[in-house]
Amino acid sequence: MRLIKICMALLLFTQAALGQESKLAATPPMGWMSWNIMSENPNEKDIKEMADAMISSGMVKAGYQYIFLDDCWQGGRDNKNNIIADPNKFPSGIKSLADYLHSKGMKLGIYSDAAPLTCGGYTASLNFEDQDAKTFASWGIDYLKYDYCNAPEDVETAKKRYGKIAQALRKAGRDIVLGICEWGPREPWNWGAQVGGQSWRTTYDIRDKWLDTEGKGGVGIYNVVDKMAGLASFSGPGKWNDGDMLVAGLHGTKGPSSAFKGVGCTKAEYQSQMSLYSMLNSPLYASCDIRKMDDEARTIFTNAEVIALNQDALGKQAERKIKTDIWDVFVRPLANGDFAIAILNKSASTQNANVNFADLGLTGKYELKDLWQHKVVGKNNKWTGEVTAHETKVFRLKKV
Ligand code: GLA
């Protein structure tokens, strides 16, 4: 009897623990990240303005709940070694900012690094994991982006350092999502979930461009998509491949995204990033100045039918079923039994597509809804039509 009771207690404990883990980032986190626009100077005035703009522009309503405060917020440590914010940038402190965001139904992410100093050279968390996690929890932080600058290159150290901060966060008494940001060289999709992360960047920093062919450090939208396409099996609820920032709205304006010839993208390219990141279940975070966002960017970010793919409860990342010189075609199942397909024209000119659903593993006929035109465009077992350069057609398919 006693043994049965102990077993029951153990079972309940395990279920509770598992429940707690899968609750974190059950769908990909969505928000806005400070790095590109504010870089060295994130501050409470601008961040609050951005949060207000997130609300008034309809971004929060569309699901973009988080403000991800990136590097350069730190002001060192106090005489008890507690990490502190730069008092000039955040005179009211981070807790007050978190309270402000929470009062508006939003969440706050923060940034640190698995070394003594961050990429920008600010105070980071190595050997202060427990203390910093407690501080973040006491401030009301909801997400931690944990970078890997100034850390050793080997994979075992990375696993250890990310595991250490994950455990510290779990012990700190608040649900804080952990975003691993080691950029891909140590293949974090192989171990990120195991050590306690909920997402992992798959490439070096994205730039405001479609494709990088020089390989000197800048990646473009399609480089990321191509990388993530091969990683579908690692993704699922609570464990996401992260494609880095959405670049719509930037138009080649200054900021880290403009390095490595990030001169800007066409509307079709910005829209393709949104479509494909939604198909691939990347976290979605805008990076342009939301206070001055143009209608093109707003329309791209707030397409509810495309976002619904990204946030679908099944959490199944699309698989690339066709890859030719011209076409990439992706397909994914959805929680209600529908499917979504995305047809990307990678060439530099308009092309005629002729996609048989049977070639994607989908037999029979489907009602097709074009998720950018927002209308049903036919009932068929195939789709034929024009796709402009770097455009992605996205359809939701309902069996008929
Ligand atoms: C790295 C990350 C970026 C950003 C900067 C901040 O480059 O990959 O996303 O966080 O550091 O210094």
Side-chain angles (χ1 to χ4, degrees), residues 207-343:
R207 311 295 164 176
D208 188 7
K209 64 199 280 190
W210 175 249
L211 184 69
D212 180 81
T213 50
E214 294 178 2
K216 291 184 185 148
V219 300
I221 293 170
Y222 184 71
N223 304 99
V224 180
V225 166
D226 194 35
K227 178 81 204 181
M228 288 192 19
L231 303 175
S233 63
F234 301 99
S235 165
K239 42 177 194 160
W240 310 109
N241 295 310
D242 176 351
D244 201 7
M245 304 180 286
L246 294 169
V247 289
L250 291 175
H251 301 295
T253 45
K254 62 180 176 5
S257 66
S258 283
F260 299 100
K261 301 188 185 149
V263 294
C265 298
T266 64
K267 181 184 171 200
E269 291 166 344
Y270 285 141
Q271 192 166 299
S272 276
Q273 189 192 24
M274 180 72 194
S275 299
L276 295 164
Y277 277 34
S278 293
M279 288 292 285
L280 297 170
N281 280 343
S282 173
L284 298 176
Y285 40 105
S287 57
C288 68
D289 192 334
I290 302 294
R291 296 167 298 189
K292 303 179 197 152
M293 175 168 63
D294 57 18
D295 280 347
E296 177 187 294
R298 191 196 337 273
T299 308
I300 288 173
F301 291 142
T302 58
N303 182 331
E305 291 182 298
V306 169
I307 292 171
L309 307 181
N310 181 267
Q311 296 292 302
D312 185 76
L314 200 57
K316 188 98 178 68
Q317 177 177 323
E319 283 182 27
R320 180 162 55 189
K321 295 283 187 180
I322 295 174
K323 184 181 185 190
T324 67
D325 285 349
I326 296 177
W327 303 106
D328 270 13
V329 182
F330 295 88
V331 61
R332 61 177 291 176
L334 299 165
N336 72 346
D338 290 356
F339 289 89
I341 65 171
I343 303 168

Side-chain angles (χ1 to χ4, degrees), residues 10-22:
L10 264 176
L11 187 70
L12 286 174
F13 176 78
T14 314
Q15 277 174 342
L18 286 173
Q20 148 109 32
E21 290 302 313
S22 60

